[in-house]
């Protein structure tokens, strides 16, 4: 039942815009890019070994070597490892770091979920593993993400992971 007192209280809440007393109860929003998710840490997104997949150049898959020389490895020297990393809403990607046993070629592209992509096209950054790569600042959209490619040339090459540095748009 809405009385004139209740309507006045409701109108005051709408105009003030802030709840000054009481306890705000709501459902926590979780996704892989909230600060508490483990994937995002402040202004970085972790690239985990499991984020990489193999391209089609050879039939052998990627694997994780768990010995003294651990990390993601190719099982055929003709492969590249590729990670696909979304950019959180309201953010832009600015830097990419991939950590590995060797300073192999690192390339980054902006890709869209709604179109085909050719990895021979222009990159937003090219560099080497173990060196911070300053990419063209790339704002998040509803459809874009980063494709990060590492050219591994031997089965002894390993990728440990990496980070993408993000900032507010």
């Amino acid at each position: 039942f809405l009385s004139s007192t209740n309507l006045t209280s409701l109108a005051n809440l709408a105009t003030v815009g802030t709840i000054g007393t009481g306890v705000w109860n709501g459902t926590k929003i979780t996704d892989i890019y909230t600060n508490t998710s483990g994937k995002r840490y402040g202004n970085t997104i972790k690239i985990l070994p499991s984020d990489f997949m193999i391209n089609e150049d050879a039939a052998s898959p990627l694997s994780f070597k768990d010995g003294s020389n651990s990390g993601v490895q190719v099982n055929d020297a003709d492969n590249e490892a590729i990670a696909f990393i979304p950019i959180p809403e309201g953010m832009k990607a600015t830097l990419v770091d991939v950590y590995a046993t060797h300073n192999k070629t690192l390339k980054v592209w902006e890709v869209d979920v709604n179109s085909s992509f050719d990895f021979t096209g222009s990159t937003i950054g090219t560099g080497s593993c173990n060196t911070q790569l300053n990419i063209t600042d790339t704002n998040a959209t509803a459809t874009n993400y980063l494709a990060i490619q590492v050219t591994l040339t031997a089965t002894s090459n390993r990728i440990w992971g990496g980070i993408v540095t993000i900032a507010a748009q």
Side-chain angles (χ1 to χ4, degrees), residues 26-31 34 36-37:
T27 304
K28 180 181 176 186
I29 299 171
T30 59
D31 71 38
T34 59
T36 60
S37 69

Side-chain angles (χ1 to χ4, degrees), residues 77-100:
D78 289 332
N79 288 129
E80 290 88 32
I82 305 167
F84 300 100
I85 307 296
I87 306 165
E89 182 178 3
M91 304 302 282
K92 63 183 173 184
T94 61
L95 303 167
V96 173
D97 293 271
V98 173
Y99 307 109

Side-chain angles (χ1 to χ4, degrees), residues 62-169:
L62 282 177
S63 58
F64 190 86
K65 171 83 167 145
D66 62 356
S68 61
N69 185 20
S70 68
V72 172
Q73 71 176 22
V74 291
N75 292 308
D76 186 308
D78 289 332
N79 288 129
E80 290 88 32
I82 305 167
F84 300 100
I85 307 296
I87 306 165
E89 182 178 3
M91 304 302 282
K92 63 183 173 184
T94 61
L95 303 167
V96 173
D97 293 271
V98 173
Y99 307 109
T101 55
H102 297 80
N103 298 333
K104 295 301 177 181
T105 301
L106 171 66
K107 294 181 180 180
V108 182
W109 292 268
E110 178 183 10
V111 184
D112 282 299
V113 298
N114 57 4
S115 62
S116 178
F117 181 72
D118 181 356
F119 279 87
T120 62
S122 296
T123 68
I124 59 172
T126 299
S128 298
C129 292
N130 304 311
T131 302
Q132 189 169 66
L133 176 58
N134 187 358
I135 63 172
T136 301
D137 288 0
T138 305
N139 289 334
T141 70
T143 59
N144 74 337
Y145 58 95
L146 299 179
I148 301 169
Q149 180 188 64
V150 178
T151 302
L152 301 172
T153 57
T155 58
S156 60
N157 298 162
R158 305 284 187 271
I159 300 171
W160 300 311
I163 58 172
V164 174
T165 302
I166 55 176
Q169 288 184 355

